[in-house]
Amino acid sequence: METKSAQTGNTIPLLTSYKFGKFDLSHRVVLAPLTRQRSYNNVPQPHAILYYSQRTTRGALLITEATGVSDTAQGYPLTPGIWTKEQVEAWKPIVDAVHAKGGIFFCQLWHVGRVSNSGFQPNGQAPISCTDKPLTPQILADGDVVEFTPPRRLRTDEIPQIVDHFRIAARNAMEAGFDGVEIHGAHGYLIDQFMKDQVNDRTDQYGGSLENRCRFALEVVEAVVNEIGADRVGIRLSPYADYMESGDSNPKELGLYMAESLNRYGILYCHMIEPRMKKQLEKFECHDSLLPMRKAFKSTFIAAGGFDGDDGNKVVAEDRADLVAFGRFFLANPDLPKRFELNAPLNKYNRRTFYIPDPVVGYTDYPFLETEN
């Protein structure tokens, strides 16, 4: 099925259908995972039912906000988890609402690693990571300073337990009714910390060589695939990013190694961040490209990183990605695919309300086209 521009009559690449494993997508506009910090006590709330269903159309792919796999996975206030029965039950009506409108819903599984402090950790303990190197304090846009507790380096014999937390979280996601899971291996969080040589200073089988640094990520993939099936698994990677002081000396080599290695597991998709997205919320021009990774990976390739409608159409038309994930624009425009179809103006997003705990403001109050004056 093809959707043509209401103005030009030309086919809109982003709005063409796509066979996504066992799922049939009606368009290629994906809701990117977006932390919203409105899950009180780490439990998804009823207001998320409206938020996600607003952004659902029949045959659309949505990815949840980053969702903690254990009580050590937390690093931000009011983020959801999926490691307790209460959390699983709270996700069910949200998933049901997306399915009722014909959407396909994946849960992003997350562990922040050292991007945390003892206040978020059970019994006030140190956050865990591949390293004991601390993060420097971060200055937020509003001038607030975030402090991080120096992490505790995981012992080699502890790592299988963390892998198992991802496996159990994936099983819990299936119990909640999700169609699949996305493993969060990007943006300086735990899996990314293991992969990047700026962070990983281990001397065991999880450090040193590229193969060793990627071992943890691939063990997580294998465990999740064995638990719920490869056709329900994706992963998000950001080889070029240095967010949270997690850069790599050879990001292209890292990205290619992961793309090629993931083929062994037959997972449904690989979701990569464009090189121009060096840090979250900042867009850079960059001559590097995800194209080698796109060519190396044998299944669905999702691109993300500061795309607008024109960029997204171009990347699909040039076969540089199968699907394109949109974050800030989808946050502010719950009917984003319809606006792309009509070439309608977009609502402006308000960054100041991205992370406030209000269940409505900056969350479910962005207008649809038909409700605008």
Side-chain angles (χ1 to χ4, degrees), residues 340-362:
F340 286 161
E341 177 186 348
L342 301 176
N343 196 27
L346 301 181
N347 299 324
K348 289 183 169 59
Y349 53 83
N350 182 356
R351 188 169 291 154
R352 288 175 296 181
T353 63
F354 281 1
Y355 307 116
I356 65 172
D358 194 288
V360 176
V361 176

Side-chain angles (χ1 to χ4, degrees), residues 25 55 99 133 231 275 281 285 325 346:
L25 302 185
R55 288 154 183 79
H99 285 162
K133 288 189 293 190
D231 58 345
L281 307 180
E285 292 307 317
L346 301 181

